[in-house]
Amino acid sequence: MGEVRTFPVPDGLDGMRVDAGVSRLLGISRTAVADLAAEGKVLLDGRTVGKSDKLTGMSWIEVEMPEPRAEPAVVAEPVEGMTVLYSDNDIVVVDKPVGVAAHASVGWTGPTVIGGLAAAGYRISTSGPPERKGIVHRLDVGTSGLMVVAASERAYTLLKRAPMVPDSGSGDTRRRTGGSR
């Protein structure tokens, strides 16, 4: 069971829909509030309410908050078919096979480039969000190809600042180059 929050409904929210009012009060999305209401986790004066029911000023509202989502974690495990083509103090270039994600994410349980590099003993930049440190560009799970991963903080910064250029004719501007325009 998640944390339960109980509070009076301010007069300023009188007549407002439950999903809109609770969203304002708690700073969570209307969709999240609607889901909680559908699960019976929103009570107004002790009775279950739906997302489009109206709030009444100075009534008491009780909301069972959702459990915090677990953040994706890097799992150091060897990745079959992933080859390190080049490495130095600043970068690691890998040939990523199909079926491997660039980094951990919610819902992904398969192998990752970052996990494979960790298992192989490579030190990766500590810059970036925790689950994707060192990643400055991604290839989809269903795509194979070369990836440059930042091993140093300096390389991470320079690669993130590098201009984006279109792929040969496809209009894809997600790939980064180290050169300047």
Side-chain angles (χ1 to χ4, degrees), residues 2-166:
E3 172 190 3
V4 176
R5 295 190 185 174
T6 304
F7 45 88
V9 176
D11 286 334
L13 299 183
D14 184 49
M16 187 176 281
R17 286 173 50 121
V18 166
D19 56 352
V22 173
S23 172
R24 272 189 169 175
L25 286 169
L26 297 178
I28 59 177
S29 74
R30 285 179 67 170
T31 302
V33 176
D35 291 344
L36 291 171
E39 295 168 9
K41 295 181 178 179
V42 180
L43 306 176
L44 186 64
D45 288 334
R47 67 175 183 83
T48 304
V49 290
K51 68 179 183 179
S52 48
D53 288 342
K54 304 295 182 193
L55 294 173
T56 308
M58 297 316 295
S59 294
W60 282 89
I61 192 146
E62 184 176 312
V63 180
E64 182 182 332
M65 299 298 290
E67 293 290 337
R69 290 195 305 180
E71 293 298 318
V74 174
V75 177
E77 64 178 318
V79 175
E80 187 176 329
M82 186 175 86
T83 308
V84 174
L85 301 175
Y86 175 82
S87 70
D88 62 23
N89 291 333
D90 293 311
I91 63 169
V92 180
V93 179
V94 298
D95 187 2
K96 182 192 91 61
V98 169
V100 177
H103 57 79
S105 63
V106 175
W108 177 253
T109 58
T112 66
V113 169
I114 293 300
L117 290 174
Y122 287 91
R123 187 191 69 77
I124 301 303
S125 167
T126 58
S127 294
E131 73 280 2
R132 59 179 195 223
K133 292 181 187 276
I135 297 291
V136 292
H137 69 94
R138 300 185 299 261
L139 292 177
D140 292 339
V141 171
T143 304
S144 64
L146 301 182
M147 282 187 63
V148 177
V149 179
S152 70
E153 308 315 307
R154 180 177 183 275
Y156 183 87
T157 300
L158 292 172
L159 288 167
K160 287 299 272 187
R161 289 183 186 161
M164 293 190 293
V165 297

